[in-house]
Amino acid sequence: MIQKKTWSDRFEGSLHPAIVQFNASITFDIELIEYDLTGSIAHAKMLAKTGIISDAEAEELVKGLETIRQEYRDGNFTPGIDQEDVHFAVERRLTELVGDVGKKLHTARSRNDQVGTDIRLYLREQIQQIRQQIKEFQQVLLTHAQENVETLIPGYTHLQRAQPISLAHHLLAYFQMAQRDWERLGEIYNRTNVSPLGCGALAGTTFPIDRHYSAELLGFGDVYGNSLDGVSDRDFAIEFLNAASLIMVHLSRLSEEMILWASQEFGFISLTDSCATGSSIMPQKKNPDVPELVRGKAGRVFGHLQGLLVLMKGLPLAYNKDLQEDKEAIFDGVKTVKGCLEAMTVLLGEGIKFRKERLSEAVAEDFSNATDVADYLAAKGVPFREAYNLVGKVVKTSLAAGKLLKDLTMEEWLELHPKFEADIYDAIAPKQVVTARNSYGGTGFEQIKQAIERAKKQLELS
């Protein structure tokens, strides 16, 4: 027998068992219970402050809600599918604990503004935790950068060798991506930190509530100025999933590079046993499971963003049951991003070792110093485009001869152009190639040192 719901007496029968199952959200919105209790406590205190209920009744409500909190933490409050959602489950248990006064808690409040409040309280806290994780991720990147200012690595465009760069420069690029992620989440926090409590179902309430007081109790920075908007807005959730998607883009790009670098073809890093797995059939294998999983999980978060956008695009004002579908997307988006940030921070901190000897070999075995030959001639007055074409020809002939630019004799340089002098060999040495790129934001070692100092200040100020 299905118990009758807490609807009005307009309803005489009970829901069909299949509809009970289909309609229920308790299996996932139980995640919000602590936030629901916190929001309800603030609401009870506001009802007392405004004289809607007595102080004694408010104290009884608060005591009952805190009892439920402790029961939940102790594992003694585990509402089932018959409770439909976390809000009804709490209200029903509260009434069991404190009697009819428990039925007064929902005065001047709808489930619509209640769930809107809960999800904002939840996401507000999660955003701050993710921002802290980003700082920890940045710190690991910064530590590696400080240790590898003069470690050289091939820089790529189109996944083709382009120019040698400092390994620190490469890692600091991801530091800056993460910094934007941190800042972006801070902006979204502000738009999440707005209280819909008191908006009612859609039109406000006839009771003399004090929305600013309950918002203050909950630490909200503002209240919604339009009740329709307050109960139906999910912009903040979409913005969060957008920011989460960008975090995953950045983690996935780094993951792809780690996967390539760990391959035998690149050999730029080795994986430690603590962050890699083997093959069930090939004993020689050491697999980069962490970055592969991060790369794969990125699509999961992107899907949640797309799902929520599609969910919202056709909804008329104000609240619609469709919005029940926002929670699993938000919850899983949060869980996935937090898990990936933690895993990548561990991977960078404990799971990889840069093979500096191999990196040194890599930057000396290609034509990534060709641009510096053109720059050398341009600095001596040869028009850059002319120099560019000359170097293109010498690269072509060198490839045919199985030579690198460093292997050319002085006579061969002079045949190319009379402006060449013996200092060309120093100019195209990988370390000098990197040193010379001393423009602001470039890979020159002095610029890298300055960039590290700026990065330190960003971490200190955040």
Side-chain angles (χ1 to χ4, degrees), residues 9 117 124 140 144 155 159 191 234 257 262 321:
D9 287 339
T117 301
R124 186 178 70 178
V140 177
H144 275 303
L159 207 56
R191 286 189 287 278
R234 292 298 184 273
E257 294 194 316
K321 186 71 169 182

Side-chain angles (χ1 to χ4, degrees), residues 333-346:
V334 165
K335 180 180 177 181
T336 302
V337 168
K338 291 175 77 172
C340 289
L341 276 168
E342 180 181 21
M344 286 299 285
T345 301
V346 171

Side-chain angles (χ1 to χ4, degrees), residues 422-433:
D423 59 353
I424 183 59
Y425 295 106
D426 292 331
I428 62 173
K431 194 164 187 177
Q432 178 56 31
V433 167

